[in-house]
Amino acid sequence: MIEGLTSSTLLEKHPRLEDIMCSLDTVGKMPSGVSGEIRQAVALARRFNESVARPYALELDRKMHEDPTYVPWDIVKEINRWGFYTNWIPKIYGGRGWNLGSLIPVVEELCSECAGIGNLMGVEYFGMSVLFAGWNTRITDKVCRDVVAGEKSGEPCLIAGLVTEPGAGTDAEETELLHKARVRCLARKVDGGYVVNGTKVFISNGHVSTWHISTAFEDTSRPADTMMCFAVRNDAKGFVYGRMEKKMGQKGCPASEIIFEDCFIPDEDVIINAEQIKKLKHSPRETAQQVIDFVVTLTRPGVGAMGAGVARGAFQEALAFARETEVRGKLLVNHEWAQCLLAEMYANAALARLTYMECNHITGLYGMAALLNLKPMYYYMKMMPTALLDRVMPFANRLAAVQQAFRKIIMDRQKEEDALRASGWASLSKFAATDLGIKNCHLAVELMGEAGIRHDMRAEKFLRDSKLLQIYEGTNQLNRLNLFKCLVAPAAPEALVFEE
């Protein structure tokens, strides 16, 4: 037998066991109720796919192709009616409080029919993650309760996240690269708030969102040290919608240009800035990176789930084609070469899923929502009547002491090694799963031949939809470098990352 101390030393060697088998830790630490929630959430998504997504996906894609300025309120209202925009809002903010671990499998389900419709739902939680990341409970409560009210009234109130600028895309997601980016969104301090000028581009759901959660910079020559975050409604003075992008894929989800023209943001709508974090232990630059990591450790595996979704959707269409198509006197599915190709496609979808589920476990343990996954907190929130929380929490969330306590617990207590593990795996899932997704789309078109490029056969749509996955939420190249920084470089201290 290996003695305890020796065993610990061996397991600490690179690669550390905790870094390569992260789900091991979830066995004992995560609440068992999470698995039941995942089953319930996936069942709901499959019912939605059968009733709404599959019958409408091709029609929506064609409609957006013929009129790229069409705003898809019809499907947004349907997603709203099914409760997808509020299911994962914590109960302390008025939502149903489903565990975040059940969200990402739902993204795969929806994207296995249509990545555009899947993104119409999923990207709502990108905007929400930017809102949550600053742990400003007062503003989060206000915005989330607007979303809940929108579901009850039947008039959707969505949230968009605004990060990318015309001169700053992938490099806006790493503080080590921000000095190379050409950020121009300037927030100038004035009495009672800020005046913001600048442009944000490629904003998913921009034209269908009421609340916009945006980054800006108090000094664009020192962006990593002066980043701040704010919330603004689309009816604010100085908030202007620009063009809607003409997209190749995921056409159902609009990508918008948002312009700020002397847009006044009151102090009460500032989510986080240098002034608010003076009592935290990290510097403004370190806090900026922590906020970015809080967001991307949720959203990058989400994009990985989209990759798994298109990989699975392309596989399913290819299998259906093979079952009904005869080649040389027998069904295609009975040709051995076709069986090998279909088996590879099945494996690709499964591997993509494994990456985002592993990441799902890590985020649950070490991400910004880790507090809600502690067993006492999880079951306490489950048992608390929603009506009681709705009477108490709006008041409590406005208290500065509550906000400061959450920031101290979540932001100050996060260990650097946990943050690196979560960020590294998020990048792994993002680039690995989306590369597998596009690979399956190519294989599906290859198997189906000429039929594969017909719109009604869906494979070409999956191929168009999948390409975007390799680009947004940090390009796959950036994510490979981030994985190197987080999980490889610790074993190679002489390595320099982001230096070229």
Side-chain angles (χ1 to χ4, degrees):
M1 291 292 291
I2 300 175
E3 294 179 0
L5 188 58
T6 306
S7 175
S8 297
T9 304
L10 291 170
L11 297 180
E12 282 295 316
K13 285 188 175 182
H14 192 271
R16 299 174 64 210
L17 186 69
E18 285 80 1
D19 289 341
I20 60 174
M21 292 189 186
C22 309
S23 53
L24 269 182
D25 277 346
T26 68
V27 175
K29 293 180 180 177
M30 292 291 283
S32 59
V34 174
S35 63
E37 286 188 55
I38 292 177
R39 290 174 183 278
Q40 183 183 357
V42 169
L44 178 69
R46 291 187 174 183
R47 174 70 65 83
F48 179 83
N49 276 350
E50 292 174 358
S51 307
V52 180
R54 186 166 182 85
Y56 188 51
L58 293 182
E59 182 184 339
L60 176 62
D61 185 66
R62 193 180 301 113
K63 194 180 291 185
M64 297 296 290
H65 176 74
E66 293 168 353
D67 179 10
T69 64
Y70 178 76
V71 180
W73 281 113
D74 48 357
I75 186 67
V76 169
K77 289 185 176 180
E78 195 65 13
I79 296 170
N80 187 56
R81 190 175 71 81
W82 279 67
F84 286 110
Y85 291 134
T86 62
N87 285 341
W88 291 276
I89 293 178
K91 289 171 77 173
I92 60 173
Y93 298 131
R96 293 188 182 84
W98 289 13
N99 188 276
L100 278 176
S102 65
L103 170 59
I104 297 184
V106 166
V107 173
E108 179 194 327
E109 290 296 327
L110 299 186
C111 291
S112 71
E113 285 297 347
C114 175
I117 292 175
N119 204 20
L120 271 175
M121 188 284 289
V123 82
E124 166 78 354
Y125 291 91
F126 166 64
M128 217 171 281
S129 66
V130 182
L131 174 67
F132 288 172
W135 277 98
N136 188 318
T137 53
R138 181 180 49 76
I139 299 176
T140 304
D141 188 274
K142 179 170 73 171
V143 174
C144 287
R145 289 185 191 277
D146 276 359
V147 177
V148 173
E151 181 183 296
K152 290 177 180 173
S153 69
E155 295 298 323
C157 175
L158 273 55
I159 307 171
L162 284 62
V163 176
T164 305
E165 301 185 17
T170 289
D171 38 16
E173 297 186 357
E174 286 285 344
T175 54
E176 293 168 79
L177 295 175
L178 263 174
H179 67 283
K180 298 180 180 178
R182 296 192 300 276
V183 294
R184 295 288 183 270
C185 197
L186 178 65
R188 180 169 54 85
K189 190 74 182 83
V190 296
D191 286 345
Y194 288 84
V195 172
V196 178
N197 282 283
T199 300
K200 298 288 185 179
V201 293
F202 305 127
I203 306 306
S204 297
N205 277 5
H207 274 75
V208 294
S209 292
T210 302
W211 279 100
H212 297 260
I213 313 302
S214 181
T215 57
F217 306 90
E218 296 186 57
D219 183 347
T220 54
S221 66
R222 298 187 302 116
D225 298 308
T226 63
M227 192 177 84
M228 50 96 72
C229 233
F230 63 91
V232 59
R233 286 180 62 97
N234 60 358
D235 55 1
K237 187 179 179 182
F239 179 100
V240 181
Y241 281 120
R243 68 181 184 279
M244 279 176 60
E245 302 292 342
K246 295 179 181 177
K247 299 169 67 178
M248 179 179 73
Q250 299 184 35
K251 290 174 178 289
C253 181
S256 310
E257 179 185 48
I258 307 290
I259 303 162
F260 298 113
E261 294 179 344
D262 289 331
C263 186
F264 177 71
I265 308 297
D267 283 332
E268 66 179 28
D269 287 341
V270 175
I271 297 169
I272 194 167
N273 62 4
E275 181 66 26
Q276 292 186 25
I277 61 170
K278 282 182 175 176
K279 295 182 180 178
L280 299 181
K281 73 177 184 182
H282 298 302
S283 69
R285 179 184 289 247
E286 291 169 334
T287 301
Q289 186 60 55
Q290 187 178 37
V291 168
I292 290 171
D293 282 343
F294 276 160
V295 174
V296 298
T297 52
L298 282 174
T299 56
R300 284 176 178 166
V303 178
M306 296 178 75
V310 297
R312 178 175 139 201
F315 160 75
Q316 289 172 341
E317 298 304 332
L319 177 61
F321 178 83
R323 292 178 62 195
E324 62 187 20
T325 304
E326 283 197 2
V327 175
R328 295 178 182 174
K330 64 179 181 180
L331 285 173
L332 182 57
V333 76
N334 287 327
H335 288 263
E336 201 168 72
W337 68 267
Q339 293 173 356
C340 287
L341 191 148
L342 288 165
E344 183 175 347
M345 294 179 72
Y346 183 92
N348 288 340
L351 291 169
R353 185 176 306 112
L354 288 172
T355 67
Y356 82 71
M357 283 305 295
E358 185 76 350
C359 203
N360 213 13
H361 296 317
I362 300 167
T363 304
L365 286 179
Y366 310 120
M368 68 171 158
L371 181 66
L372 299 177
N373 288 321
L374 296 176
K375 289 179 182 177
M377 177 66 80
Y378 175 85
Y379 289 111
Y380 175 73
M381 295 307 300
K382 286 294 169 194
M383 289 187 293
M384 283 295 286
T386 301
L388 177 60
L389 287 170
D390 284 346
R391 278 200 292 272
V392 174
M393 291 314 298
F395 170 76
N397 285 329
R398 286 197 294 270
L399 298 176
V402 171
Q403 180 173 295
Q404 189 66 11
F406 273 119
R407 282 179 171 166
K408 282 284 183 187
I409 294 170
I410 304 295
M411 303 179 82
D412 276 359
R413 297 185 64 181
Q414 189 187 36
K415 297 177 183 175
E416 183 180 356
E417 62 188 46
D418 293 342
L420 288 174
R421 185 180 304 128
S423 180
W425 270 90
S427 286
L428 185 156
S429 177
K430 198 276 179 182
F431 74 75
T434 57
D435 284 352
L436 289 166
I438 202 165
K439 183 178 180 182
N440 261 19
C441 296
H442 281 294
L443 290 174
V445 172
E446 183 180 317
L447 179 82
M448 297 165 75
E450 293 179 352
I453 57 174
R454 279 172 41 188
H455 187 254
D456 63 328
M457 300 302 285
R458 299 177 186 262
E460 68 84 28
K461 178 179 177 305
F462 277 116
L463 181 56
R464 283 188 286 111
D465 286 351
S466 65
K467 188 60 189 171
L468 185 54
L469 301 175
Q470 294 180 307
I471 300 170
Y472 59 32
E473 212 51 23
T475 63
N476 281 8
Q477 291 87 345
L478 178 280
N479 277 285
R480 284 181 168 86
L481 289 174
N482 188 56
L483 183 151
F484 183 92
K485 182 188 82 170
C486 296
L487 298 177
V488 180
E494 68 280 9
L496 302 174
V497 189
F498 299 134
E499 289 293 316
E500 292 183 6

